[in-house]
Amino acid sequence: MQAPAGWYADPYDPKTFRYWDGAAWTGHVAPRHVPQQLQIGERQAERNDQKEAAALAKVAKRDEKAASRTAAVEARQQQVSEWQAAQEAAKAQKQAYANAAKAQRQAELEATEESALAYWADVRFVGEKVSAKAKQTIRAHGQESEQPWLMVGSGTAGVLAAFHDRVMIVKTGTMTSFMAGAFLGGRITTFPLVDITSIEFNGQWLTGVLEILTPSYQGTANKDYWRGTNRSRNADSNDPWTLSNTLPLLKVVYQQALPEINELRKRIVESKKTQVIVQSTRSVSVADELRKLAELHREGILDDAEYATAKGNLIAGG
């Protein structure tokens, strides 16, 4: 350094001055005085830096919280989306099951209806419409593939069903069972043809009662169509609505069904005809008979021709 001697900024300590003797640094030092204005400026700059740092830290913290909230919202939205997708999948699966079950029920219903149509195709229906409940009951009481040949419907009074070997009077269904004195139950009675002694119809001007008579059910009283109708059920022991062997029937329906009723009467008579099977029995064997013929031939009672003829007939009748 070729500067003249004097006090200069200490190269070893920025806070002090060091004396330069013109040739080298001496050991003389003095404190370095910074102007007050410069100190104030530095402190203000320091405070500004701190404020800026604090503001930046606050912004950074806010941004961090915002990012955290955004991430939480996105995660929640993802969960909601996944839940909605699962719900839609479950709903679609449930709908698919429902559609399959509905299709199966429809197919079963169509098959049942087709079977029912085939079952009732050859049945003669006379009178009022027979309820589905009555049909179900009659079909349940039949043998497999067996069907009645005649159905006489009498509305809420019930229905008569005739099979090849029996007759049924069915009183089922809500209103019919109530009128029969067996509310929500019913009266279902079967009469074998061989047990039926007679079929009577006690008719009035517009109405009447069809009655099946057997050894257990005798026609001991006239049955009026309206008898017991306005009384409590089962109050009258001769009420045709509640009796098991009677069917209240409009007279016009009986007249419509008369040809079939007459055919039923004929079948009842035919069921009572006994078939006698005569079986030939022998108390003596053919061998014994042949020995007797041979003995008669030896004794001369039968000649050769008679013996041959009797022997042939005996063997042939064997």
Side-chain angles (χ1 to χ4, degrees):
M1 180 176 179
Q2 300 299 323
W7 291 92
Y8 295 96
D10 189 348
Y12 307 110
D13 188 354
K15 296 180 181 181
T16 62
F17 289 101
R18 186 173 292 274
Y19 186 77
W20 173 261
D21 61 5
W25 292 106
T26 68
H28 302 287
V29 295
R32 186 177 182 180
H33 298 288
V34 179
Q36 185 177 5
Q37 187 176 0
L38 179 60
Q39 293 179 358
I40 294 174
E42 289 179 352
R43 287 196 296 270
Q44 184 65 39
E46 183 178 356
R47 284 195 295 270
N48 291 339
D49 291 343
Q50 291 176 350
K51 288 181 179 180
E52 184 178 359
L56 292 175
K58 187 176 181 179
V59 171
K61 188 174 182 180
R62 186 179 61 222
D63 292 343
E64 182 180 356
K65 289 182 177 180
S68 178
R69 287 196 297 270
T70 302
V73 170
E74 291 177 351
R76 178 59 180 169
Q77 289 177 343
Q78 179 66 24
Q79 291 177 350
V80 171
S81 299
E82 292 176 355
W83 180 82
Q84 290 177 341
Q87 290 296 312
E88 290 295 332
K91 183 178 179 181
Q93 186 177 28
K94 184 177 180 181
Q95 186 63 41
Y97 287 155
N99 292 339
K102 182 178 180 181
Q104 183 177 359
R105 288 194 300 270
Q106 183 65 27
E108 292 174 352
L109 179 61
E110 292 176 355
T112 302
E113 291 178 349
E114 184 177 353
S115 175
L117 290 175
Y119 180 84
W120 301 106
D122 299 328
V123 180
R124 304 180 205 173
F125 285 91
V126 183
E128 300 182 56
K129 183 179 179 180
V130 179
S131 68
K133 178 66 175 178
K135 287 183 177 180
Q136 181 182 3
T137 301
I138 292 169
R139 189 169 183 179
H141 282 72
Q143 302 296 328
E144 186 177 358
S145 301
E146 183 188 32
Q147 61 187 141
W149 63 271
L150 173 63
M151 298 267 284
V152 181
S154 186
T156 57
V159 58
L160 178 145
F163 290 84
H164 72 282
D165 61 346
R166 65 194 184 281
V167 174
M168 293 180 64
I169 289 184
V170 177
K171 299 180 179 182
T172 57
T174 304
M175 191 61 188
T176 303
S177 63
F178 169 76
M179 294 301 296
F183 185 54
L184 297 181
R187 297 188 185 275
I188 305 166
T189 312
T190 301
F191 306 91
L193 295 186
V194 294
D195 292 342
I196 299 176
T197 58
S198 178
I199 296 181
E200 292 185 359
F201 181 74
N202 300 313
Q204 292 87 42
W205 180 39
L206 296 175
T207 62
V209 177
L210 188 70
E211 185 172 4
I212 296 179
L213 303 181
T214 69
S216 300
Y217 295 94
Q218 298 294 327
T220 57
N222 291 327
K223 311 296 190 302
D224 185 275
Y225 183 92
W226 300 107
R227 185 168 187 166
T229 302
N230 296 324
R231 303 177 63 182
S232 62
R233 312 319 307 156
N234 298 311
D236 188 345
S237 60
N238 286 310
D239 181 0
W241 295 86
T242 60
L243 291 174
S244 298
N245 69 316
T246 56
L247 183 67
L249 196 67
L250 294 175
K251 190 174 181 180
V252 64
V253 175
Y254 175 75
Q255 291 172 347
Q256 293 174 356
L258 187 57
E260 285 75 15
I261 297 297
N262 289 334
E263 181 178 345
L264 177 58
R265 291 187 174 110
K266 180 180 177 181
R267 295 191 181 196
I268 292 171
V269 173
E270 292 177 350
S271 69
K272 299 179 182 299
K273 293 180 180 179
T274 57
Q275 297 181 355
V276 180
I277 300 176
V278 179
Q279 296 181 347
S280 177
T281 60
R282 292 180 177 272
S283 59
V284 183
S285 66
V286 176
D288 291 338
E289 294 290 339
L290 289 175
R291 280 194 290 270
K292 289 180 179 181
L293 288 177
E295 185 178 350
L296 293 174
H297 181 250
R298 283 194 304 270
E299 293 177 355
I301 298 176
L302 296 176
D303 58 21
D304 293 341
E306 291 174 338
Y307 173 70
T309 301
K311 181 179 179 182
N313 290 337
L314 183 61
I315 295 174

